[in-house]
Amino acid sequence: MNWMHLKQSWTKNRLFFKILLYFVSLLIPIVIIGIIAYFNADQIIKKDTSEKLTDNLSASSKTIDIYLSMAQSTNNSLLLSETIQQSLRPYPLLSDEEKVKLPSILRAIAGNRNPISHFVDSIFIFVDDQRIYLSDGIADFDVFFDKFYKFEDFNKDFWRERLHQSSLFELLKPTRVVNADMNTYREVIPSVTTQYLSGHLATMVTTISIPTIQTTLQNNSIFAATQYMVLDKNNNVILHSSGLDERAENDIIALASPEKQSNRAFKNGDEQSWLVQTTSDYGWKYISITPVHAFNQESSSILTLIIWICISLLVIGVAFSFIFSFRLYNPIKNIRDILQKNDNVDEWQQETRRSGELQMIGNSVNQLIQRHMDDNIKISTFSEEILEQFFTNLLKGYRGPHPYSVNTILKEIDFQDGSYLCCCFIIDFKDRFYHEIVEADRLLILEKMKRLLLGIMKKYVNCYLTEYEPNLYVCMVNLKSEEDREQLEQGLDMVKTTFAYDMIYCELIIGLGKTYEKIEEYSKSYSDAITAIDKRTDASKMDILDANHFEIEQNYYYSFLDENKIVNGLKSGDIEGVKAELEGIIALNKSRGVSFHYLGALLVEFFKTGNRYITDKKQSVYDFLDDHEHASLSQPELLPSELDRRLKQIIDFYDKIIAKTFSKPESKSGTLVSFITDYIEKHYEQDLYLEVIAGEIGLSAKYVSRMFKESTGTNISDYISLVRIAKARELLVNTDMKISDIADKIGIFSRTTFLRLFKKYEGISPNEYRSAHGVKEK
């Protein structure tokens, strides 16, 4: 009976027993892996440590090479500097006037020493055997080399002889420098450069501190027990750690390899060590000697850990295999039941016999997991697209309707409180970027640029970055406090530092917009940043152009009078006059600090002026423009690099209008109108009215009035008033003249009449207009 019960239980719960066996079988690989790891971990750890030691030594040698390169460039730049070229001559040949200028040589030496002062012991230069020039004074040649800076291996005759040997940059052997007065010595490596200056050989010496080199190696060491040795290209010892005896040094020199990098075992007395060597660009061989016991402890710890992990896994695995089998069985059984409901039971049982029930359920579970992953990817992609579109719309000046998910995403990225500003990065790649870097690398750089900028800025502030245009990256920052502003400045400095090394390939321009309280005002901050970039004056500097440092006007200037001039130019067929008028309006707006957002809106207004003109002519704008051109001219978004192109599009549009609408019969009236408007512009200060203008032209007042009205849609008297009020606005804003004086200045000799006309055209009184623009009357 028990056997039958067990058989029924096996048949009914066969899946459970399979799961249990699977769990137990998982313990076998653990044992095998543990045994393999036990015997191989030591070799792996030693190999890894060897690679780390090699990388560490290579990094230290490159650091020292940078120091040497800086010393070489210091020598060359100092000798080639204007001060040295003009002032350094043999002392007996100097006039009294030239001797007065000698302190400039000392300042030049001191200025070139500062960047490498921690690496250099001293810098001095001499052009004869009488004077030595240092950063802190001028010394006598003999006294300097005999007393203050005496080289043990190079006497003063050696340095006197150097005045007759030209050399670009030479590293001498290590030596000691003795100061007889202070009874002290220092270990240094002299680097010598001798070049002709004004017909005389000048020698510049930079002594490199050996203790600084040793400190650089020791500070970068992975293990405190590591010792170092540095050889020159001839295997002469430059420096060595104090723990190495003479025998060990000789053995290491004998093992020195001509290869660029090498590592090997080395027996230092009774102690087994690991020797790593790397050769620098200057031919120096850097050798590190690390006792094996320094990293054996790490190997032992890891091996012990592996053993305990294996034992623990075995014990825990056996104990929990039963628990997990029970817990997993019920949900898997439910899945099986659900699958059986969807499929034919007989077909399910037949398929189970062929491939196994667990495999069938596993395949079904994998399908569910895969669908879940695909759905997550779609959701993530969709959310990112929504967020990208949302921020792009903000930059274009409208938020628009958006789904609930955007609010959820904004909440997740914490963009709901605080203030907001935009930071624009424009990357201008130079020709050598396209000539010296292969295409595959260029594409990789361009692909990673957004991730690089976002990665830097994310470390400092809460932000979102988008590539708004090719090579234009806009970073939208959310500031919560004053500390965030400081963090933003640190982030921008880090971006500058990151790109400072790549200035030969590209130019980075950074524009920082003003801060606003609403997220919908990102477009204003973006416009501020672009406008600030346009105001850059020194293209050689990678400065941060902050809109707060400039006066930016958030409105454009385009009056009815300006529009009338353009329309009159279109009617008269004077495209050059129209072009000059457009350029003048743009120049006026730029001089007043109008932001690029409103310059773009001004260009759209130019387009609308032409559109209205051809509409009055009962023609369609699509007779003059295709869909692409129409979309471009209707777009208020504008970059500094696009201003000239968009303005040319407007002029070409106007030129097409003139070509299709201008006719010779109208040229007479167009010329007449142009003459009248020019005459009014020049004589508006006088007592001007229709009869005076008609008398100047030699036509009847009635004819002149009718022609002007038909061409412009405005009476001459109204046009005169418009010109005078436009001039009055300029005087109110740009001067502190009294209201009555301004009225006289523009040709309105009655204060009451002036006040009435100004109120009629501007809607406010002159004093209110002046106050609105921040000007007070005397």
Side-chain angles (χ1 to χ4, degrees):
M1 188 67 179
N2 290 335
W3 171 252
M4 292 298 295
H5 179 73
L6 181 62
K7 185 177 180 180
Q8 291 177 358
S9 178
W10 165 260
T11 304
K12 186 177 180 180
N13 301 308
R14 182 171 51 185
L15 181 59
F16 167 76
F17 292 106
K18 284 187 177 182
I19 294 174
L20 179 60
L21 290 175
Y22 290 151
F23 273 116
V24 174
S25 66
L26 290 177
L27 302 178
I28 298 174
I30 293 175
V31 176
I32 297 173
I33 292 172
I35 294 172
I36 295 174
Y38 181 83
F39 288 104
N40 293 315
D42 184 60
Q43 294 299 322
I44 295 174
I45 292 171
K46 287 182 178 179
K47 181 181 178 182
D48 182 63
T49 304
S50 174
E51 291 176 354
K52 288 182 179 177
L53 290 172
T54 302
D55 294 342
N56 175 264
L57 185 62
S58 177
S60 299
S61 67
K62 288 180 181 178
T63 301
I64 295 171
D65 276 4
I66 291 173
Y67 292 154
L68 293 175
S69 176
M70 291 174 65
Q72 180 179 358
S73 64
T74 297
N75 287 4
N76 293 335
S77 62
L78 184 58
L79 287 174
L80 295 176
S81 66
E82 185 177 353
T83 300
I84 299 300
Q85 292 280 343
Q86 294 180 355
S87 304
L88 187 63
R89 296 173 57 201
Y91 194 78
L93 300 180
L94 294 175
S95 63
D96 293 338
E97 189 175 297
E98 291 173 328
K99 290 178 181 180
V100 173
K101 299 179 180 179
L102 289 180
S104 63
I105 298 178
L106 309 184
R107 289 192 295 271
I109 295 173
N112 278 266
R113 178 178 177 173
N114 287 336
I116 55 173
S117 58
H118 67 287
F119 183 68
V120 169
D121 183 74
S122 179
I123 299 178
F124 59 88
I125 188 171
F126 57 93
V127 72
D128 55 31
D129 59 357
Q130 295 188 21
R131 295 289 186 274
I132 299 292
Y133 300 92
L134 302 95
S135 61
D136 52 358
I138 303 175
D140 181 77
F141 185 91
D142 293 331
V143 173
F144 179 77
F145 286 113
D146 287 339
K147 191 173 184 181
F148 296 115
Y149 213 75
K150 181 179 180 181
F151 293 87
E152 285 190 353
D153 298 317
F154 310 103
N155 57 25
K156 63 184 178 183
D157 292 331
F158 170 84
W159 296 110
R160 188 176 283 110
E161 186 64 26
R162 295 299 301 192
L163 287 170
H164 306 290
Q165 302 175 7
S166 176
S167 64
L168 291 177
F169 183 76
E170 181 181 354
L171 289 170
L172 304 182
K173 67 179 183 178
T175 184
R176 285 187 177 185
V177 173
V178 180
N179 188 319
D181 284 349
M182 302 179 65
N183 196 24
T184 59
Y185 71 88
R186 298 184 295 278
E187 294 182 334
V188 298
I189 301 173
S191 67
V192 183
T193 301
T194 303
Q195 295 184 20
Y196 277 97
L197 297 178
S198 302
H200 303 279
L201 278 173
T203 299
M204 180 176 176
V205 181
T206 302
T207 56
I208 299 166
S209 172
I210 291 179
T212 302
I213 297 176
Q214 190 163 2
T215 300
T216 300
L217 292 170
Q218 204 65 47
N219 288 344
N220 292 337
S221 177
I222 299 175
F223 301 103
T226 301
Q227 296 176 313
Y228 292 93
M229 190 172 181
V230 182
L231 308 177
D232 63 13
K233 64 179 70 174
N234 298 319
N235 283 352
N236 297 317
V237 178
I238 295 176
L239 65 87
H240 62 84
S241 299
S242 59
L244 296 174
D245 55 26
E246 185 176 353
R247 179 180 176 183
E249 289 182 13
N250 294 331
D251 292 343
I252 293 172
I253 293 174
L255 291 173
S257 172
E259 298 177 0
K260 185 73 174 178
Q261 286 187 343
S262 65
N263 52 67
R264 66 186 69 187
F266 171 70
K267 193 166 185 179
N268 184 10
D270 296 332
E271 186 176 47
Q272 190 73 18
S273 300
W274 192 255
L275 188 146
V276 177
Q277 175 191 324
T278 184
T279 304
S280 72
D281 294 337
Y282 286 88
W284 287 7
K285 298 173 182 176
Y286 297 85
I287 303 172
S288 68
I289 307 97
T290 306
V292 173
H293 70 78
F295 48 87
N296 269 350
Q297 184 177 0
E298 181 179 356
S299 300
S300 300
S301 300
I302 292 177
L303 292 174
T304 303
L305 180 63
I306 290 173
I307 293 172
W308 280 109
I309 288 175
C310 290
I311 294 174
S312 300
L313 288 175
L314 287 172
V315 173
I316 295 173
V318 172
F320 282 91
S321 290
F322 289 94
I323 299 174
F324 291 157
S325 297
F326 280 110
R327 292 189 176 183
L328 286 176
Y329 175 66
N330 286 331
I332 293 177
K333 180 177 177 294
N334 293 334
I335 294 175
R336 181 195 63 188
D337 295 339
I338 293 172
L339 294 174
Q340 285 181 342
K341 289 179 180 178
N342 295 331
D343 298 331
N344 185 282
V345 176
D346 294 335
E347 293 178 358
W348 173 272
Q349 292 176 351
Q350 292 175 4
E351 184 65 26
T352 301
R353 293 190 188 98
R354 290 196 300 268
S355 58
E357 187 176 11
L358 185 61
Q359 183 175 349
M360 283 291 298
I361 296 176
N363 292 337
S364 300
V365 171
N366 288 335
Q367 291 175 5
L368 292 174
I369 293 174
Q370 186 61 46
R371 285 200 294 269
H372 177 69
M373 292 175 61
D374 293 341
D375 291 342
N376 282 339
I377 293 173
K378 290 179 180 179
I379 292 172
S380 177
T381 303
F382 182 65
S383 299
E384 181 65 26
E385 291 175 354
I386 291 176
L387 192 60
E388 181 80 12
Q389 185 62 44
F390 174 74
F391 278 107
T392 301
N393 289 341
L394 287 180
L395 292 180
K396 292 181 178 179
Y398 59 91
R399 184 169 182 178
H402 55 272
Y404 173 77
S405 56
V406 169
N407 284 332
T408 304
I409 297 171
L410 288 177
K411 185 176 181 180
E412 287 294 328
I413 63 176
D414 195 19
F415 255 75
Q416 291 187 315
D417 298 310
S419 55
Y420 308 90
L421 65 81
C422 275
C423 180
C424 293
F425 302 97
I426 296 180
I427 301 175
D428 183 15
F429 291 100
K430 300 180 180 178
D431 290 340
R432 65 188 304 172
F433 174 77
Y434 299 97
H435 296 157
E436 298 180 9
I437 300 178
V438 298
E439 182 178 2
D441 291 340
R442 291 201 307 270
L443 294 176
L444 182 62
I445 291 171
L446 295 174
E447 181 183 350
K448 302 294 184 182
M449 190 65 67
K450 176 181 176 181
R451 189 180 303 174
L452 171 64
L453 290 171
L454 180 59
I456 294 174
M457 296 301 294
K458 271 287 188 182
K459 292 180 180 179
Y460 296 91
V461 291
N462 185 30
C463 63
Y464 183 85
L465 187 137
T466 182
E467 186 176 4
Y468 192 54
E469 296 284 347
N471 299 331
L472 168 61
Y473 300 89
V474 182
C475 183
M476 286 151 281
V477 183
N478 178 217
L479 302 176
K480 304 291 186 182
S481 62
E482 290 296 329
E483 289 76 9
D484 285 351
R485 180 72 187 203
E486 297 175 1
Q487 289 288 106
L488 171 62
E489 294 174 357
Q490 294 178 19
L492 295 177
D493 289 338
M494 179 56 68
V495 172
K496 288 174 57 180
T497 302
T498 303
F499 280 84
Y501 301 101
D502 301 317
M503 292 298 288
I504 60 173
Y505 295 110
C506 67
E507 179 183 1
L508 175 65
I509 310 168
I510 304 176
L512 190 62
K514 295 181 180 180
T515 304
Y516 294 90
E517 297 301 320
K518 296 180 179 180
I519 195 170
E520 292 85 355
E521 296 178 303
Y522 266 133
S523 60
K524 293 182 180 179
S525 187
Y526 163 74
S527 175
D528 295 339
I530 291 296
T531 306
I533 289 174
D534 184 59
K535 294 182 179 294
R536 186 175 62 145
T537 57
D538 189 353
S540 64
K541 295 182 179 179
M542 188 169 60
D543 291 329
I544 299 173
L545 301 159
D546 193 342
N548 290 307
H549 300 160
F550 303 100
E551 291 186 5
I552 298 177
E553 184 71 27
Q554 298 296 342
N555 201 355
Y556 60 81
Y557 297 86
Y558 183 53
S559 65
F560 172 75
L561 179 61
D562 296 329
E563 185 174 19
N564 262 354
K565 290 181 180 179
I566 293 173
V567 171
N568 290 337
L570 294 176
K571 290 180 178 180
S572 63
D574 184 10
I575 188 62
E576 292 301 324
V578 172
K579 179 180 178 182
E581 186 65 30
L582 293 176
E583 291 174 347
I585 296 171
I586 292 292
L588 173 64
N589 279 270
K590 291 187 70 174
S591 67
R592 295 188 175 185
V594 174
S595 70
F596 263 83
H597 175 77
Y598 285 95
L599 284 179
L602 176 60
L603 292 178
V604 174
E605 219 28 67
F606 289 160
F607 170 63
K608 291 180 179 178
T609 296
N611 200 357
R612 285 192 292 269
Y613 179 79
I614 59 180
T615 300
D616 291 340
K617 296 288 185 180
K618 296 184 173 23
Q619 297 190 42
S620 171
V621 68
Y622 292 102
D623 294 336
F624 301 84
L625 301 172
D626 57 30
D627 291 340
H628 177 74
E629 291 172 331
H630 185 277
S632 176
L633 294 178
S634 303
Q635 174 60 255
E637 300 300 322
L638 181 68
L639 295 176
S641 58
E642 297 178 331
L643 179 58
D644 293 337
R645 178 182 62 81
R646 291 274 291 279
L647 183 58
K648 185 178 182 304
Q649 283 184 301
I650 295 292
I651 294 172
D652 292 342
F653 175 49
Y654 284 173
D655 198 18
K656 292 178 182 178
I657 292 175
I658 291 174
K660 290 189 177 183
T661 62
F662 176 70
S663 58
K664 289 183 179 180
E666 296 178 359
S667 61
K668 182 176 180 181
S669 63
T671 304
L672 178 63
V673 169
S674 297
F675 177 83
I676 294 172
T677 55
D678 289 342
Y679 186 84
I680 292 172
E681 284 282 337
K682 295 176 182 177
H683 300 87
Y684 68 90
E685 298 178 352
Q686 303 173 6
D687 187 13
L688 192 63
Y689 48 90
L690 173 61
E691 285 73 17
V692 173
I693 297 172
E696 287 292 330
I697 300 174
L699 299 172
S700 69
K702 183 177 180 180
Y703 176 77
V704 170
S705 176
R706 180 174 58 81
M707 292 295 292
F708 191 86
K709 176 71 173 179
E710 290 178 354
S711 298
T712 65
T714 306
N715 294 323
I716 288 182
S717 58
D718 290 339
Y719 187 80
I720 295 172
S721 298
L722 283 171
V723 172
R724 286 172 170 170
I725 296 303
K727 300 297 181 181
R729 289 200 307 268
E730 294 180 6
L731 293 174
L732 285 168
V733 173
N734 299 321
T735 71
D736 57 0
M737 294 175 60
K738 294 181 179 179
I739 301 300
S740 56
D741 293 339
I742 292 175
D744 293 339
K745 180 72 175 176
I746 64 172
I748 301 176
F749 303 106
S750 169
R751 177 185 173 92
T752 302
T753 303
F754 172 66
L755 294 176
R756 177 177 56 78
L757 288 175
F758 196 92
K759 182 79 171 181
K760 172 184 175 182
Y761 290 106
E762 298 299 325
I764 57 176
S765 68
N767 280 331
E768 290 173 339
Y769 184 86
R770 172 173 273 172
S771 299
H773 288 76
V775 181
K776 295 183 179 180
E777 187 177 8
K778 283 187 175 180

